[in-house]
Amino acid sequence: MHASTPLIPRRRLALAALAALAGTAAAPALSAAMANPPPARYGAAQAVAPGVWVLPGSLEAADAGNQDAVGNLGVLDTPAGPVLVETGGSSRLARWAIAEARRLTGRKPVLAVITQARPEFLMGGAAFAEAGIPVLAHSATAELMAQRCHECLRRLRADLGEAVMRGTRLVLPGRRVEGSQVLELGGRRIALLHLAGHTAGDLVVLDERSGVAFGGALVPAGRVPEIDPGREAAPWREALRRLAGQPGLRTLVPGYGAPGAAPALIASVESYLAALEAQVQALLDGGADLLEAQRRVELADWRTAARYEAFHKRNVQRQYLAAELRWLAAPEATPQR
């Protein structure tokens, strides 16, 4: 052996060989699972109020196990027919959700509402188009979908496989709103509240009869809020304040996680955003750069929440950049650098 060649212990070589063999053995099984995925579905329907159900999805990222059944879908029964909240993470999931809404209510859905431009909420559009069910979203959501969701779909196909995403294509919503409005569906009033917080097109879907609202990604539960590119905490916090003051609101179905009392779920998200905003601003004012802020901003109460490792440092980055842009626009507020 050449003198400069490092000695590798036999134990390490043996472990590496075993790992390689395990990976080789697992690869065909994984490929088979992706080529022949199990039926796509969300969790069992949970009644939240009379005529209101949640179809629960995963808190985690899309993977081969959940097949992008991430986040919650909703079903609202009305005399005109059921309304679905979100179209789901794929065409296969959407077909299951349409069938489940029919099973729960005995009728075909008459409408689907997308709350935000999140891939797990909107990739089922093709199945709704094929079934002749209109899809509604805010115009800002439709614009964001057109800008970035083709790339989201490409990544989902690469990560989950063609079989999981079979039949899935990006279909922009055919019905669009510019602000808040109320849908009268056979006498049941469904309020669409435009609260631009997480994204510019956020819609909260409120059933006025039961006081149940579907908050989408504006109100996650058990999962770290994710600040969208180009956004920050302040408008999100303002949207939450407006939602908290909504007359008749009692129960929230979060975009991710279990339904609960609206005040507590709203307060939880607001606490994360307030702490993030305050800590980032203090560090910026003290002259810390972005990397230092990402190292130092830790929210211990949230470390056990889903997606903390994936989202938190990115949230610090986006909040820091937004705060720094304000500083650049107001040089008299120069931090100590």
Side-chain angles (χ1 to χ4, degrees), residues 113 136 177 179-183 190-194 203-206:
V113 179
L136 179 150
V177 297
S180 299
Q181 68 176 61
V182 175
L183 305 177
I190 308 296
L192 305 178
L193 309 175
H194 178 221
L203 290 179
V204 171
V205 181
L206 172 63

Side-chain angles (χ1 to χ4, degrees), residues 30-38 40 61-70 89-90 92-93 119-120 123 152-166 168:
L30 180 60
S31 298
M34 293 178 71
N36 299 286
D63 60 28
N66 61 44
Q67 301 187 63
D68 205 22
V70 173
S90 71
R92 295 170 67 241
L93 285 166
E120 57 266 30
M123 288 296 176
C152 296
L153 179 55
R154 185 195 67 77
R155 291 180 182 176
L156 285 169
R157 288 189 186 281
D159 292 344
L160 306 185
E162 289 292 336
V164 170
M165 301 304 292
R166 185 172 57 247
T168 303

Side-chain angles (χ1 to χ4, degrees), residues 61 73 99 114 140 251 254-255 262 274 309 319 326 334:
L73 272 61
I114 296 173
T251 302
E309 294 299 328
Q319 183 63 36
R326 281 195 300 277
T334 302

Side-chain angles (χ1 to χ4, degrees), residues 1-12:
M1 182 175 291
H2 193 279
S4 64
T5 303
L7 295 175
I8 302 175
R10 291 181 180 178
R11 177 175 172 80
R12 190 182 302 175

